[in-house]
C-alpha cells in the first residue's frame, strides 16, 4: 500500500520562529489533508490540498502532486501551535485515508 | 449540529470481553471510518464504509467487526478484547467526492 512519511518527527521552536513540515507519499493520491492534534487529543483539519497552495492566517500549505510531496508552513509560531501535525492521503482509485506518523511540535514561550 | 459523536469516552475491559464503540454523525456523510492511535504513532485505519450496507477493511482490521445499517451510525465491535487492543479509537466521516474528514473526540479503551 501507499507509504506516507513525515519529517521531521520532532521539532522544538522558540515562540515567533518559522518552520516547514514535510510529507512525502509513495504513489498518486486523490487528495491530501493536513491535521493538527492538540495536546488534549482533538484532531482538527487544517487544509484540504490535493494540489497547489493554500493559506489560512499564519499557516500555509503547498502540495506538488507530480513530485509526491506536500509542505506545511507555520510562520510566527505561538505556544498554541504545539501538538502533532499529521498528513493524510487518499490513494488514487480508493476511498481509504492513510495517515503519516506525524510531526510533534513544541513551541516554547 | 453535533458533528461526529463517539461513546463511550473511556472504557476498561478484561481480556476476552466484548464491547461496541458507537459512532454517529448528523451531517449526512456517506464516508465513515474508524482509526486507532497508539502512543507516539499516527492513526491507523481499521475499517471504513462508503455508504449504508457497504464496509471494507483498512490497514489493521483483525479483531474488529463493523456494520453500516444506516447513514448516521457506524459501530465498531470488539468480539474478544485483547491487551493489544488498548488504544485510543477515533471515528471520522466525510462526504464522498473528496471532502474534509471530521473526527469525533475519541474513545480511550484499556484492556487488562
Amino acid at each position: 500500500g501507499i507509504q506516507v512519511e513525515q519529517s521531521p518527527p520532532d521539532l522544538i521552536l522558540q515562540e515567533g520562529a518559522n518552520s516547514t513540515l514535510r510529507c512525502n507519499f509513495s504513489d498518486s493520491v486523490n487528495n491530501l489533508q493536513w491535521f493538527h492534534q492538540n495536546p488534549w487529543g482533538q484532531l482538527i483539519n487544517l487544509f484540504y490540498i490535493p494540489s497547489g497552495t493554500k493559506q489560512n492566517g499564519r499557516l500555509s500549505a503547498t502540495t506538488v502532486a507530480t513530485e509526491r510531496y506536500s509542505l506545511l508552513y507555520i510562520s510566527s509560531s505561538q505556544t498554541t501551535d504545539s501538538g502533532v501535525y499529521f498528513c493524510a492521503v487518499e490513494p488514487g482509485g480508493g476511498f481509504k485515508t492513510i495517515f503519516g506518523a506525524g510531526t510533534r511540535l513544541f513551541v516554547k514561550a | 449540529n453535533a458533528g461526529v459523536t463517539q461513546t463511550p469516552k473511556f472504557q476498561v475491559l478484561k481480556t476476552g470481553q466484548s464491547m461496541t464503540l458507537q459512532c454517529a454523525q448528523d451531517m449526512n456523510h456517506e464516508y465513515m471510518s474508524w482509526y486507532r492511535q497508539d502512543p507516539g504513532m499516527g492513526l491507523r485505519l481499521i475499517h471504513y464504509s462508503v455508504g449504508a450496507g457497504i464496509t471494507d477493511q483498512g490497514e489493521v482490521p483483525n479483531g474488529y467487526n463493523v456494520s453500516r445499517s444506516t447513514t448516521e451510525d457506524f459501530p465498531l465491535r470488539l468480539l474478544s478484547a485483547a491487551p493489544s487492543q488498548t488504544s485510543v479509537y477515533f471515528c471520522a466521516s466525510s462526504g464522498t467526492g473528496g471532502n474534509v474528514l471530521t473526527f469525533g473526540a475519541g474513545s480511550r479503551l484499556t484492556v487488562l
Side-chain angles (χ1 to χ4, degrees):
Chain A
I2 194 169
Q3 302 300 310
V4 183
E5 295 181 352
Q6 292 188 240
S7 59
D10 298 282
L11 186 60
I12 300 174
L13 297 176
Q14 194 66 44
E15 195 170 30
N18 304 328
S19 63
T20 300
L21 282 57
R22 187 176 181 100
C23 173
N24 292 334
F25 43 97
S26 62
D27 208 343
S28 61
V29 298
N30 290 334
N31 71 61
L32 185 145
Q33 303 183 54
W34 283 96
F35 292 86
H36 175 226
Q37 186 172 38
N38 64 25
W40 297 271
Q42 188 180 15
L43 283 153
I44 301 297
N45 183 275
L46 299 175
F47 293 102
Y48 172 86
I49 185 165
S51 63
T53 297
K54 291 186 178 180
Q55 181 153 7
N56 184 0
R58 296 180 297 103
L59 302 181
S60 64
T62 295
T63 297
V64 183
T66 53
E67 298 187 21
R68 299 180 183 169
Y69 73 90
S70 183
L71 302 173
L72 178 69
Y73 305 95
I74 304 174
S75 64
S76 304
S77 59
Q78 301 176 357
T79 56
T80 52
D81 294 332
S82 296
V84 185
Y85 289 81
F86 290 107
C87 167
V89 303
E90 180 184 305
F95 297 101
K96 304 178 183 183
T97 297
I98 304 300
F99 280 71
T103 292
R104 185 174 300 274
L105 173 66
F106 179 67
V107 181
K108 299 188 295 183
Chain B
N1 195 348
V4 179
T5 303
Q6 291 183 232
T7 56
K9 287 185 168 49
F10 301 94
Q11 183 72 50
V12 179
L13 291 178
K14 294 181 180 178
T15 297
Q17 287 185 318
S18 63
M19 78 156 300
T20 300
L21 297 175
Q22 302 290 346
C23 177
Q25 53 91 9
D26 60 0
M27 297 171 284
N28 202 30
H29 283 168
E30 298 94 338
Y31 179 88
M32 296 185 75
S33 54
W34 278 101
Y35 292 86
R36 61 177 288 173
Q37 184 177 28
D38 300 302
M41 298 182 68
L43 283 79
R44 292 184 291 170
L45 181 64
I46 304 172
H47 286 285
Y48 66 100
S49 169
V50 298
I54 306 170
T55 64
D56 205 348
Q57 296 181 348
E59 302 169 281
V60 288
N62 292 341
Y64 306 96
N65 282 349
V66 293
S67 60
R68 184 95 179 269
S69 57
T70 67
T71 299
E72 294 77 20
D73 300 298
F74 191 44
L76 179 71
R77 297 182 183 86
L78 286 71
L79 298 179
S80 180
S84 61
Q85 293 178 303
T86 294
S87 190
V88 180
Y89 292 85
F90 288 95
C91 180
S93 73
S94 73
T96 52
N99 280 297
V100 169
L101 268 181
T102 300
F103 278 88
S107 298
R108 183 176 295 275
L109 174 65
T110 300
V111 183
L112 303 175

